[in-house]
Amino acid sequence: MKKHYKEEPWSIVEEGFHPEMQMSSESIFSLGNGRMGQRANFEEGYSGETLQGNYIAGVYYPDKTRVGWWKNGYPEYFAKVLNAANWIIIQPEIEGEKLDLATAQVSNFRRELDMRAGTLKRVFTAKLKNGAELDVESIRFMSMADDETAAIKYTIKSRNYSGKLKIAAAIDGDIVNQDSNYDEKFWAEVSKQTWAHGSELTMKTKKLDFHVSTAQQIVLTKNGDELDLSSVEASTEKYVENVFDISIAQGDEIAVLKYASNVSSLNYSLSELSSKSIEAASRAKEIGFNEMLQRHAENWRNRWANNDIIIEGDVAAQQAIRFNIFQLSQTYTGADDRLNIGPKGFTGEKYGGSTYWDTEAYCLPFYMLTAGNDVAKKLLLYRYKQLDKAIQNAGKLGFTDGAALYPMVTMNGEECHNEWEITFEEIHRNGAIAFAIKNYIDHSGDQNYLKEGGLEVLLGISRFWAQRVNWSKLREKYVMLGVTGPNEYENNVNNNWYTNYIAKWTLEYTRDAAKACMSDDRFWSDFVAKTNFKEDELSTWSDISSKMYQPKLDGTNIFLQQDGFLDKVDLTVDDLPASERPINQNWSWDRILRSIFIKQADVLQGMYFFEDHFDEATIRDNFLYYEPRTVHESSLSPCVHAVLASKLGMDEKAYEMYLRTARLDLDDYNHEADEGLHITSMAGTWMAVVEGFGGKRVVDGRLSFSPRLPKEWDSFKFSILYRESTVVLEVDQDKVKISNQSGESMAVDVYGTTYEIAGRDSVDVNRKR
């Protein structure tokens, strides 16, 4: 764990230039707007260690799968969100020496991510080898108000130099992905153009023919007055620039205002792409930097009004939750139902930027309860629109009759993960997609979604489960063999309890949902015709679910993670030397697979999803057994444990897990922040507060809270959208206050007691300790 950044409630601040932290800081200070994103690379060139990253949502490359032993059913490619053209380049040069913080003497370095306004500011003093000293300030943002545009204000003040300052404003398309399987460059040039104060570059992917056009418009000022300077226009393959020569004297201040745009063939025809990119950059220039920033900041103010969590008395916790909410909000806005949430968002290349089951298991609640039902529904429709591909994926593995296996990793519905134990075996992902449908309906009240696609998805998943199990004569139960559960430190196991349980639940939920929809004769006849549904499928599902094998330790409440789990050497995390943590960076894979140690919640993932299926004693016994054996080396692990620990009144453990998930990247618990942030697990941080400390549930169709206040906090407050009504929870040392900000009366449970709260009214309840 590293404590590198100052703890501020609304900002992430780095003081002093630390080259050894540069790649991690590039991740931490990343910016995005849902349509595009950018790591916190320097505008000026940097010859030190860096991971350059500019990303365009929805644009990807099918990098050919690289495996040593090909197996039938393997995907042919791994989808990767591409490192696109580098648009931020502003390169100062004095007397032939370019500003480079890896070679200059750097002092007074400070950068700040202002989460309230969504801006990144950097200041420093640099002394070049030729003796010139410069004060530099950079402010940039990616507009949330106009998601095709971004802007930079880059200011240079001469401390001691008089003479010629050369500034190159450039767009570089000759870039690479660090994770390219075969060191291949993924982009080819289509066209480029330059003019006196700007330039434009259009590139296309070498496969799939995605086109992206990037444009820049440049304005220069000297001591506050706009300069009427034309540039020297230059271009080479995949590169355009505008170079300005400016006479400066000691004390002069030069500002470079760079207005940039990125547009893609996802939204425009190829014939208009270049003109649309130039139009967007020109639009930004016409609005001007200050007005652009004001509109951008206003957009953020509106978002924070809906999704902020206020924690009093604990700055580290306050900063962390806002950082997580900030990153989630700038990664996915719900503006486009073709997009989804990649595990790294716009902050790095790892995991390809593709969609995982994280969306349904962790992200949906955040977007549903802070952005509303429409945004949440788009995440469900993303899967519905890919149902045909899920059926094809199952078909490649030998499943028939409309069985659907959703991919572990995808950009377009096709499976593109190339590790056999994941691609073929981590099939519990299907269950999370089914659970998300119920979760959405419970919170939105939108029962009609079943008829809008939800039931078709449930049917495909249930058909898969019905074919994936087999009857065991020995056990006289249905069993599921050769799977990987959420704990990826186990592969190819039999009867993973969580997978068996969520399959059983899905079959039951689909059966009940189908019966509920049968009363709509018109819908049902169309549904049967479209899906070739047979009513005997209902009885098959009932038979399987009633006879599903669930491994359990005899005489206890403990469900066994899988067959053979008790054959392992029984250790706890306390038995591990600190020098061997994390084990995934210090142990062989063979040793990990044979050990008892658990990467992330597995049995406890089931306890979290289906908490209402088990009494508190059962949840407690399983928590006390599994958590001490869990190393939490998945970013998705601490949040589930925080929620369960809160329910069980284990306040210290809940707070420990909250800080671990909330500050996972800020304090770099897993020593991998340089690769990008853990965006999807950040939704788990929000869950830890809202569902953990806030105790938010839906019980019998009513919103319910059972709050607990960590002893480190004086109070906390958040709002959620429940069935499109805003409900505010405030918890302090003495009381719980629930405010109904809608115009209609609402029934809300607090500590198991139901209160009818009139519209625009609130209720105070004594806090339980």
Side-chain angles (χ1 to χ4, degrees), residues 581-633:
R581 302 281 304 278
I583 61 173
N584 63 12
Q585 297 177 23
N586 290 284
W587 284 15
S588 69
W589 195 242
D590 168 74
R591 187 179 179 189
I592 289 173
L593 291 177
R594 289 186 287 107
S595 80
I596 201 168
F597 296 117
I598 300 166
K599 180 182 181 184
Q600 70 187 81
D602 195 304
V603 169
L604 296 182
Q605 183 74 40
M607 296 283 159
Y608 164 68
F609 272 170
F610 304 110
E611 175 190 294
D612 58 328
H613 295 193
F614 307 100
D615 59 34
E616 187 170 310
T618 298
I619 297 173
R620 183 180 301 277
D621 288 353
N622 280 273
F623 188 94
L624 292 175
Y625 181 75
Y626 283 108
E627 196 283 327
R629 293 163 176 80
T630 302
V631 289
H632 302 294
E633 289 175 9

Short mmCIF file of all heavy atoms in Angstrom, two decimals, residues 581-633:
data_model
loop_
_atom_site.label_atom_id
_atom_site.label_comp_id
_atom_site.label_asym_id
_atom_site.label_seq_id
_atom_site.Cartn_x
_atom_site.Cartn_y
_atom_site.Cartn_z
N ARG A 581 2.91 -11.89 -0.22
CA ARG A 581 1.68 -11.25 -0.69
C ARG A 581 2.01 -10.18 -1.71
O ARG A 581 2.99 -9.46 -1.55
CB ARG A 581 0.91 -10.62 0.48
CG ARG A 581 0.54 -11.59 1.59
CD ARG A 581 -0.67 -12.42 1.24
NE ARG A 581 -1.82 -11.60 0.89
CZ ARG A 581 -2.65 -11.05 1.79
NH1 ARG A 581 -2.44 -11.22 3.09
NH2 ARG A 581 -3.70 -10.34 1.39
N PRO A 582 1.22 -9.97 -2.75
CA PRO A 582 0.11 -10.85 -3.15
C PRO A 582 0.64 -12.15 -3.73
O PRO A 582 1.68 -12.17 -4.40
CB PRO A 582 -0.63 -10.02 -4.20
CG PRO A 582 0.42 -9.12 -4.77
CD PRO A 582 1.36 -8.81 -3.66
N ILE A 583 -0.08 -13.24 -3.49
CA ILE A 583 0.42 -14.53 -3.93
C ILE A 583 0.43 -14.65 -5.45
O ILE A 583 1.23 -15.40 -6.01
CB ILE A 583 -0.37 -15.71 -3.29
CG1 ILE A 583 -1.84 -15.68 -3.68
CG2 ILE A 583 -0.20 -15.70 -1.79
CD1 ILE A 583 -2.61 -16.92 -3.21
N ASN A 584 -0.42 -13.89 -6.14
CA ASN A 584 -0.43 -14.00 -7.60
C ASN A 584 0.80 -13.35 -8.22
O ASN A 584 1.04 -13.52 -9.42
CB ASN A 584 -1.71 -13.40 -8.20
CG ASN A 584 -1.87 -11.91 -7.94
OD1 ASN A 584 -0.94 -11.23 -7.50
ND2 ASN A 584 -3.05 -11.40 -8.20
N GLN A 585 1.60 -12.65 -7.43
CA GLN A 585 2.85 -12.09 -7.93
C GLN A 585 4.07 -12.78 -7.34
O GLN A 585 5.21 -12.43 -7.68
CB GLN A 585 2.90 -10.58 -7.64
CG GLN A 585 1.81 -9.80 -8.35
CD GLN A 585 1.82 -8.31 -8.01
OE1 GLN A 585 2.85 -7.76 -7.59
NE2 GLN A 585 0.68 -7.65 -8.19
N ASN A 586 3.83 -13.77 -6.47
CA ASN A 586 4.96 -14.42 -5.79
C ASN A 586 4.93 -15.94 -5.84
O ASN A 586 5.96 -16.57 -5.62
CB ASN A 586 4.99 -13.97 -4.32
CG ASN A 586 5.39 -12.52 -4.15
OD1 ASN A 586 6.57 -12.17 -4.28
ND2 ASN A 586 4.42 -11.66 -3.88
N TRP A 587 3.78 -16.53 -6.11
CA TRP A 587 3.66 -17.98 -6.15
C TRP A 587 3.48 -18.46 -7.58
O TRP A 587 2.97 -17.72 -8.44
CB TRP A 587 2.44 -18.44 -5.35
CG TRP A 587 2.60 -18.41 -3.86
CD1 TRP A 587 3.58 -17.78 -3.14
CD2 TRP A 587 1.73 -19.04 -2.92
NE1 TRP A 587 3.38 -17.98 -1.80
CE2 TRP A 587 2.24 -18.74 -1.63
CE3 TRP A 587 0.58 -19.80 -3.02
CZ2 TRP A 587 1.63 -19.20 -0.46
CZ3 TRP A 587 -0.03 -20.25 -1.86
CH2 TRP A 587 0.50 -19.96 -0.60
N SER A 588 3.85 -19.73 -7.80
CA SER A 588 3.54 -20.36 -9.08
C SER A 588 2.04 -20.62 -9.16
O SER A 588 1.35 -20.72 -8.14
CB SER A 588 4.29 -21.69 -9.22
OG SER A 588 3.75 -22.65 -8.31
N TRP A 589 1.54 -20.70 -10.39
CA TRP A 589 0.11 -20.98 -10.56
C TRP A 589 -0.24 -22.34 -10.00
O TRP A 589 -1.32 -22.53 -9.42
CB TRP A 589 -0.26 -20.87 -12.03
CG TRP A 589 -1.74 -20.80 -12.25
CD1 TRP A 589 -2.52 -21.68 -12.93
CD2 TRP A 589 -2.64 -19.78 -11.79
NE1 TRP A 589 -3.83 -21.29 -12.92
CE2 TRP A 589 -3.94 -20.12 -12.23
CE3 TRP A 589 -2.46 -18.61 -11.05
CZ2 TRP A 589 -5.05 -19.34 -11.94
CZ3 TRP A 589 -3.58 -17.82 -10.77
CH2 TRP A 589 -4.86 -18.20 -11.21
N ASP A 590 0.64 -23.28 -10.11
CA ASP A 590 0.40 -24.62 -9.55
C ASP A 590 0.18 -24.53 -8.04
O ASP A 590 -0.76 -25.13 -7.50
CB ASP A 590 1.60 -25.52 -9.85
CG ASP A 590 1.56 -26.82 -9.05
OD1 ASP A 590 0.74 -27.69 -9.39
OD2 ASP A 590 2.33 -26.94 -8.08
N ARG A 591 1.01 -23.77 -7.37
CA ARG A 591 0.90 -23.66 -5.91
C ARG A 591 -0.41 -22.95 -5.53
O ARG A 591 -1.07 -23.33 -4.55
CB ARG A 591 2.11 -22.90 -5.37
CG ARG A 591 2.17 -22.87 -3.84
CD ARG A 591 3.40 -22.12 -3.37
NE ARG A 591 3.46 -22.07 -1.91
CZ ARG A 591 4.34 -21.34 -1.22
NH1 ARG A 591 5.23 -20.60 -1.87
NH2 ARG A 591 4.33 -21.35 0.10
N ILE A 592 -0.77 -21.93 -6.29
CA ILE A 592 -2.02 -21.22 -6.01
C ILE A 592 -3.21 -22.16 -6.15
O ILE A 592 -4.11 -22.19 -5.29
CB ILE A 592 -2.17 -20.01 -6.96
CG1 ILE A 592 -1.15 -18.92 -6.57
CG2 ILE A 592 -3.59 -19.44 -6.92
CD1 ILE A 592 -1.10 -17.76 -7.54
N LEU A 593 -3.26 -22.93 -7.23
CA LEU A 593 -4.40 -23.81 -7.48
C LEU A 593 -4.54 -24.87 -6.40
O LEU A 593 -5.66 -25.31 -6.11
CB LEU A 593 -4.26 -24.47 -8.85
CG LEU A 593 -4.41 -23.55 -10.07
CD1 LEU A 593 -4.16 -24.35 -11.35
CD2 LEU A 593 -5.78 -22.91 -10.11
N ARG A 594 -3.44 -25.30 -5.82
CA ARG A 594 -3.51 -26.34 -4.79
C ARG A 594 -3.80 -25.77 -3.41
O ARG A 594 -4.11 -26.53 -2.49
CB ARG A 594 -2.19 -27.13 -4.76
CG ARG A 594 -2.00 -28.04 -5.96
CD ARG A 594 -0.75 -28.92 -5.82
NE ARG A 594 0.49 -28.18 -5.98
CZ ARG A 594 1.33 -27.87 -5.01
NH1 ARG A 594 1.04 -28.22 -3.76
NH2 ARG A 594 2.43 -27.20 -5.26
N SER A 595 -3.70 -24.47 -3.26
CA SER A 595 -3.86 -23.86 -1.94
C SER A 595 -5.35 -23.64 -1.64
O SER A 595 -6.21 -23.70 -2.51
CB SER A 595 -3.13 -22.51 -1.89
OG SER A 595 -3.91 -21.50 -2.50
N ILE A 596 -5.61 -23.34 -0.39
CA ILE A 596 -6.98 -23.06 0.06
C ILE A 596 -7.35 -21.60 -0.14
O ILE A 596 -8.51 -21.22 0.03
CB ILE A 596 -7.13 -23.45 1.54
CG1 ILE A 596 -8.61 -23.66 1.90
CG2 ILE A 596 -6.48 -22.39 2.46
CD1 ILE A 596 -8.82 -24.32 3.24
N PHE A 597 -6.39 -20.78 -0.54
CA PHE A 597 -6.62 -19.34 -0.56
C PHE A 597 -7.54 -18.93 -1.70
O PHE A 597 -7.46 -19.44 -2.82
CB PHE A 597 -5.29 -18.59 -0.61
CG PHE A 597 -4.47 -18.83 0.63
CD1 PHE A 597 -3.24 -19.46 0.55
CD2 PHE A 597 -4.96 -18.47 1.87
CE1 PHE A 597 -2.50 -19.70 1.69
CE2 PHE A 597 -4.22 -18.70 3.03
CZ PHE A 597 -3.00 -19.32 2.93
N ILE A 598 -8.40 -17.98 -1.38
CA ILE A 598 -9.49 -17.58 -2.26
C ILE A 598 -9.22 -16.17 -2.80
O ILE A 598 -8.89 -15.26 -2.03
CB ILE A 598 -10.83 -17.60 -1.49
CG1 ILE A 598 -11.10 -19.03 -0.98
CG2 ILE A 598 -11.99 -17.11 -2.35
CD1 ILE A 598 -12.19 -19.10 0.08
N LYS A 599 -9.34 -16.00 -4.09
CA LYS A 599 -9.06 -14.72 -4.72
C LYS A 599 -10.12 -13.67 -4.39
O LYS A 599 -9.81 -12.52 -4.11
CB LYS A 599 -8.96 -14.91 -6.23
CG LYS A 599 -8.66 -13.65 -7.02
CD LYS A 599 -8.63 -13.93 -8.52
CE LYS A 599 -8.31 -12.67 -9.31
NZ LYS A 599 -8.37 -12.89 -10.76
N GLN A 600 -11.38 -14.07 -4.46
CA GLN A 600 -12.48 -13.13 -4.23
C GLN A 600 -13.69 -13.90 -3.76
O GLN A 600 -13.72 -15.13 -3.78
CB GLN A 600 -12.80 -12.38 -5.52
CG GLN A 600 -13.44 -13.24 -6.59
CD GLN A 600 -13.60 -12.51 -7.91
OE1 GLN A 600 -12.64 -12.41 -8.68
NE2 GLN A 600 -14.79 -12.01 -8.19
N ALA A 601 -14.73 -13.17 -3.35
CA ALA A 601 -15.94 -13.80 -2.84
C ALA A 601 -16.48 -14.82 -3.82
O ALA A 601 -16.68 -14.52 -5.00
CB ALA A 601 -17.00 -12.73 -2.58
N ASP A 602 -16.73 -16.03 -3.34
CA ASP A 602 -17.26 -17.10 -4.17
C ASP A 602 -18.56 -17.59 -3.53
O ASP A 602 -19.65 -17.16 -3.92
CB ASP A 602 -16.22 -18.21 -4.31
CG ASP A 602 -16.54 -19.19 -5.44
OD1 ASP A 602 -17.64 -19.76 -5.42
OD2 ASP A 602 -15.69 -19.39 -6.33
N VAL A 603 -18.47 -18.41 -2.51
CA VAL A 603 -19.68 -18.74 -1.75
C VAL A 603 -20.33 -17.44 -1.24
O VAL A 603 -21.56 -17.27 -1.30
CB VAL A 603 -19.35 -19.67 -0.57
CG1 VAL A 603 -20.54 -19.79 0.38
CG2 VAL A 603 -18.93 -21.05 -1.07
N LEU A 604 -19.50 -16.51 -0.80
CA LEU A 604 -20.05 -15.25 -0.26
C LEU A 604 -20.66 -14.37 -1.34
O LEU A 604 -21.50 -13.52 -1.04
CB LEU A 604 -18.97 -14.50 0.52
CG LEU A 604 -18.44 -15.22 1.77
CD1 LEU A 604 -17.41 -14.38 2.49
CD2 LEU A 604 -19.59 -15.59 2.71
N GLN A 605 -20.27 -14.57 -2.58
CA GLN A 605 -20.95 -13.86 -3.68
C GLN A 605 -22.41 -14.31 -3.74
O GLN A 605 -23.31 -13.50 -3.94
CB GLN A 605 -20.26 -14.15 -5.01
CG GLN A 605 -20.85 -13.40 -6.20
CD GLN A 605 -20.51 -11.93 -6.23
OE1 GLN A 605 -19.39 -11.55 -5.91
NE2 GLN A 605 -21.46 -11.09 -6.60
N GLY A 606 -22.63 -15.61 -3.54
CA GLY A 606 -23.99 -16.12 -3.49
C GLY A 606 -24.76 -15.60 -2.29
O GLY A 606 -25.95 -15.29 -2.38
N MET A 607 -24.08 -15.51 -1.15
CA MET A 607 -24.72 -14.97 0.04
C MET A 607 -25.11 -13.51 -0.18
O MET A 607 -26.16 -13.04 0.30
CB MET A 607 -23.78 -15.06 1.24
CG MET A 607 -23.42 -16.47 1.63
SD MET A 607 -24.75 -17.24 2.55
CE MET A 607 -24.35 -18.97 2.31
N TYR A 608 -24.28 -12.77 -0.92
CA TYR A 608 -24.58 -11.37 -1.21
C TYR A 608 -25.79 -11.27 -2.14
O TYR A 608 -26.74 -10.53 -1.86
CB TYR A 608 -23.36 -10.69 -1.83
CG TYR A 608 -23.70 -9.39 -2.49
CD1 TYR A 608 -24.10 -8.28 -1.74
CD2 TYR A 608 -23.65 -9.26 -3.88
CE1 TYR A 608 -24.43 -7.08 -2.35
CE2 TYR A 608 -23.98 -8.05 -4.50
CZ TYR A 608 -24.37 -6.97 -3.73
OH TYR A 608 -24.72 -5.80 -4.34
N PHE A 609 -25.78 -11.98 -3.26
CA PHE A 609 -26.89 -11.91 -4.20
C PHE A 609 -28.21 -12.38 -3.56
O PHE A 609 -29.25 -11.78 -3.77
CB PHE A 609 -26.60 -12.78 -5.42
CG PHE A 609 -25.84 -12.10 -6.52
CD1 PHE A 609 -25.35 -12.84 -7.58
CD2 PHE A 609 -25.63 -10.73 -6.53
CE1 PHE A 609 -24.66 -12.23 -8.62
CE2 PHE A 609 -24.95 -10.11 -7.56
CZ PHE A 609 -24.45 -10.87 -8.61
N PHE A 610 -28.13 -13.46 -2.81
CA PHE A 610 -29.35 -14.13 -2.35
C PHE A 610 -29.45 -14.09 -0.82
O PHE A 610 -29.86 -15.05 -0.18
CB PHE A 610 -29.38 -15.57 -2.87
CG PHE A 610 -29.27 -15.64 -4.36
CD1 PHE A 610 -28.13 -16.14 -4.97
CD2 PHE A 610 -30.30 -15.18 -5.17
CE1 PHE A 610 -28.02 -16.19 -6.35
CE2 PHE A 610 -30.20 -15.23 -6.56
CZ PHE A 610 -29.06 -15.72 -7.15
N GLU A 611 -29.09 -12.96 -0.27
CA GLU A 611 -29.09 -12.77 1.17
C GLU A 611 -30.42 -13.17 1.81
O GLU A 611 -30.47 -13.75 2.90
CB GLU A 611 -28.78 -11.30 1.46
CG GLU A 611 -28.84 -10.87 2.88
CD GLU A 611 -28.75 -9.36 3.00
OE1 GLU A 611 -27.68 -8.81 2.66
OE2 GLU A 611 -29.74 -8.74 3.42
N ASP A 612 -31.53 -12.86 1.12
CA ASP A 612 -32.85 -13.15 1.69
C ASP A 612 -33.20 -14.62 1.67
O ASP A 612 -34.23 -15.03 2.22
CB ASP A 612 -33.93 -12.34 0.96
CG ASP A 612 -33.96 -12.61 -0.54
OD1 ASP A 612 -32.89 -12.89 -1.12
OD2 ASP A 612 -35.05 -12.55 -1.13
N HIS A 613 -32.36 -15.46 1.06
CA HIS A 613 -32.60 -16.90 1.03
C HIS A 613 -32.04 -17.60 2.27
O HIS A 613 -32.30 -18.80 2.47
CB HIS A 613 -31.96 -17.54 -0.20
CG HIS A 613 -32.56 -17.09 -1.49
ND1 HIS A 613 -32.30 -17.73 -2.69
CD2 HIS A 613 -33.41 -16.07 -1.80
CE1 HIS A 613 -32.95 -17.12 -3.67
NE2 HIS A 613 -33.62 -16.10 -3.15
N PHE A 614 -31.25 -16.90 3.07
CA PHE A 614 -30.53 -17.53 4.17
C PHE A 614 -30.75 -16.74 5.47
O PHE A 614 -30.89 -15.52 5.45
CB PHE A 614 -29.03 -17.60 3.87
CG PHE A 614 -28.71 -18.23 2.55
CD1 PHE A 614 -28.43 -17.45 1.44
CD2 PHE A 614 -28.73 -19.61 2.40
CE1 PHE A 614 -28.15 -18.03 0.21
CE2 PHE A 614 -28.46 -20.19 1.17
CZ PHE A 614 -28.17 -19.40 0.07
N ASP A 615 -30.78 -17.47 6.59
CA ASP A 615 -30.89 -16.76 7.85
C ASP A 615 -29.53 -16.16 8.22
O ASP A 615 -28.49 -16.51 7.65
CB ASP A 615 -31.42 -17.67 8.96
CG ASP A 615 -30.56 -18.90 9.22
OD1 ASP A 615 -29.32 -18.81 9.10
OD2 ASP A 615 -31.12 -19.96 9.56
N GLU A 616 -29.55 -15.26 9.18
CA GLU A 616 -28.33 -14.54 9.53
C GLU A 616 -27.25 -15.47 10.06
O GLU A 616 -26.05 -15.25 9.81
CB GLU A 616 -28.63 -13.44 10.55
CG GLU A 616 -27.44 -12.55 10.83
CD GLU A 616 -27.77 -11.32 11.65
OE1 GLU A 616 -28.73 -10.62 11.29
OE2 GLU A 616 -27.06 -11.09 12.66
N ALA A 617 -27.63 -16.52 10.77
CA ALA A 617 -26.63 -17.45 11.31
C ALA A 617 -25.87 -18.14 10.19
O ALA A 617 -24.65 -18.34 10.28
CB ALA A 617 -27.32 -18.48 12.20
N THR A 618 -26.58 -18.50 9.12
CA THR A 618 -25.92 -19.16 7.98
C THR A 618 -24.96 -18.21 7.30
O THR A 618 -23.82 -18.58 6.96
CB THR A 618 -26.97 -19.66 6.98
OG1 THR A 618 -27.80 -20.64 7.62
CG2 THR A 618 -26.33 -20.28 5.76
N ILE A 619 -25.37 -16.97 7.09
CA ILE A 619 -24.50 -15.97 6.46
C ILE A 619 -23.27 -15.74 7.33
O ILE A 619 -22.13 -15.71 6.85
CB ILE A 619 -25.26 -14.67 6.20
CG1 ILE A 619 -26.41 -14.91 5.22
CG2 ILE A 619 -24.32 -13.60 5.67
CD1 ILE A 619 -27.32 -13.72 5.04
N ARG A 620 -23.48 -15.61 8.64
CA ARG A 620 -22.37 -15.36 9.56
C ARG A 620 -21.37 -16.52 9.55
O ARG A 620 -20.16 -16.31 9.46
CB ARG A 620 -22.90 -15.13 10.97
CG ARG A 620 -21.81 -14.78 11.99
CD ARG A 620 -22.42 -14.57 13.38
NE ARG A 620 -23.40 -13.51 13.36
CZ ARG A 620 -23.12 -12.22 13.44
NH1 ARG A 620 -21.86 -11.84 13.58
NH2 ARG A 620 -24.09 -11.31 13.43
N ASP A 621 -21.87 -17.74 9.63
CA ASP A 621 -20.97 -18.90 9.68
C ASP A 621 -20.13 -18.99 8.40
O ASP A 621 -18.93 -19.29 8.46
CB ASP A 621 -21.78 -20.18 9.87
CG ASP A 621 -22.34 -20.31 11.28
OD1 ASP A 621 -21.99 -19.49 12.14
OD2 ASP A 621 -23.16 -21.23 11.50
N ASN A 622 -20.76 -18.74 7.27
CA ASN A 622 -20.00 -18.80 6.02
C ASN A 622 -19.01 -17.66 5.91
O ASN A 622 -17.89 -17.84 5.42
CB ASN A 622 -20.96 -18.81 4.82
CG ASN A 622 -21.55 -20.19 4.58
OD1 ASN A 622 -20.98 -21.01 3.87
ND2 ASN A 622 -22.71 -20.45 5.18
N PHE A 623 -19.40 -16.48 6.37
CA PHE A 623 -18.47 -15.35 6.35
C PHE A 623 -17.26 -15.63 7.23
O PHE A 623 -16.11 -15.40 6.83
CB PHE A 623 -19.19 -14.08 6.83
CG PHE A 623 -18.37 -12.83 6.66
CD1 PHE A 623 -18.50 -12.05 5.53
CD2 PHE A 623 -17.47 -12.42 7.65
CE1 PHE A 623 -17.75 -10.89 5.37
CE2 PHE A 623 -16.71 -11.27 7.51
CZ PHE A 623 -16.85 -10.50 6.36
N LEU A 624 -17.50 -16.12 8.44
CA LEU A 624 -16.40 -16.37 9.37
C LEU A 624 -15.49 -17.50 8.90
O LEU A 624 -14.32 -17.56 9.28
CB LEU A 624 -16.97 -16.70 10.76
CG LEU A 624 -17.67 -15.53 11.47
CD1 LEU A 624 -18.29 -16.01 12.78
CD2 LEU A 624 -16.69 -14.38 11.72
N TYR A 625 -16.02 -18.37 8.06
CA TYR A 625 -15.17 -19.44 7.52
C TYR A 625 -14.38 -18.97 6.31
O TYR A 625 -13.17 -19.20 6.22
CB TYR A 625 -16.03 -20.65 7.13
CG TYR A 625 -15.20 -21.79 6.58
CD1 TYR A 625 -14.45 -22.60 7.43
CD2 TYR A 625 -15.15 -22.04 5.21
CE1 TYR A 625 -13.67 -23.63 6.94
CE2 TYR A 625 -14.38 -23.08 4.70
CZ TYR A 625 -13.64 -23.87 5.57
OH TYR A 625 -12.87 -24.88 5.07
N TYR A 626 -15.03 -18.29 5.37
CA TYR A 626 -14.38 -17.99 4.10
C TYR A 626 -13.55 -16.71 4.10
O TYR A 626 -12.51 -16.64 3.45
CB TYR A 626 -15.42 -17.94 2.98
CG TYR A 626 -15.87 -19.32 2.55
CD1 TYR A 626 -17.13 -19.79 2.87
CD2 TYR A 626 -15.00 -20.17 1.86
CE1 TYR A 626 -17.54 -21.07 2.49
CE2 TYR A 626 -15.39 -21.45 1.49
CZ TYR A 626 -16.66 -21.89 1.81
OH TYR A 626 -17.04 -23.15 1.44
N GLU A 627 -13.98 -15.67 4.81
CA GLU A 627 -13.23 -14.42 4.73
C GLU A 627 -11.80 -14.56 5.23
O GLU A 627 -10.87 -14.02 4.60
CB GLU A 627 -13.96 -13.31 5.50
CG GLU A 627 -13.47 -11.91 5.15
CD GLU A 627 -12.14 -11.53 5.78
OE1 GLU A 627 -11.88 -11.99 6.92
OE2 GLU A 627 -11.36 -10.78 5.14
N PRO A 628 -11.53 -15.30 6.33
CA PRO A 628 -10.14 -15.44 6.76
C PRO A 628 -9.26 -16.19 5.75
O PRO A 628 -8.03 -16.16 5.88
CB PRO A 628 -10.26 -16.23 8.08
CG PRO A 628 -11.64 -15.95 8.57
CD PRO A 628 -12.47 -15.87 7.33
N ARG A 629 -9.85 -16.87 4.79
CA ARG A 629 -9.10 -17.61 3.79
C ARG A 629 -9.06 -16.87 2.44
O ARG A 629 -8.59 -17.42 1.45
CB ARG A 629 -9.72 -19.00 3.61
CG ARG A 629 -9.54 -19.88 4.86
CD ARG A 629 -10.47 -21.08 4.91
NE ARG A 629 -10.18 -21.92 6.07
CZ ARG A 629 -10.60 -21.66 7.31
NH1 ARG A 629 -11.36 -20.59 7.54
NH2 ARG A 629 -10.28 -22.45 8.32
N THR A 630 -9.54 -15.63 2.44
CA THR A 630 -9.63 -14.85 1.22
C THR A 630 -8.53 -13.79 1.19
O THR A 630 -8.39 -13.00 2.12
CB THR A 630 -11.01 -14.16 1.11
OG1 THR A 630 -12.02 -15.17 1.16
CG2 THR A 630 -11.13 -13.38 -0.18
N VAL A 631 -7.74 -13.80 0.10
CA VAL A 631 -6.61 -12.87 0.00
C VAL A 631 -7.02 -11.56 -0.67
O VAL A 631 -6.22 -10.62 -0.74
CB VAL A 631 -5.43 -13.51 -0.77
CG1 VAL A 631 -4.78 -14.59 0.07
CG2 VAL A 631 -5.87 -14.05 -2.12
N HIS A 632 -8.24 -11.47 -1.19
CA HIS A 632 -8.76 -10.23 -1.78
C HIS A 632 -7.84 -9.71 -2.88
O HIS A 632 -7.57 -8.51 -2.96
CB HIS A 632 -8.99 -9.16 -0.71
CG HIS A 632 -9.93 -9.56 0.38
ND1 HIS A 632 -11.27 -9.80 0.16
CD2 HIS A 632 -9.71 -9.80 1.71
CE1 HIS A 632 -11.83 -10.15 1.30
NE2 HIS A 632 -10.92 -10.16 2.25
N GLU A 633 -7.37 -10.61 -3.72
CA GLU A 633 -6.49 -10.19 -4.81
C GLU A 633 -7.25 -9.94 -6.10
O GLU A 633 -6.63 -9.72 -7.15
CB GLU A 633 -5.36 -11.20 -4.99
CG GLU A 633 -4.39 -11.13 -3.84
CD GLU A 633 -3.30 -12.18 -3.85
OE1 GLU A 633 -3.18 -12.90 -4.88
OE2 GLU A 633 -2.57 -12.30 -2.85
#
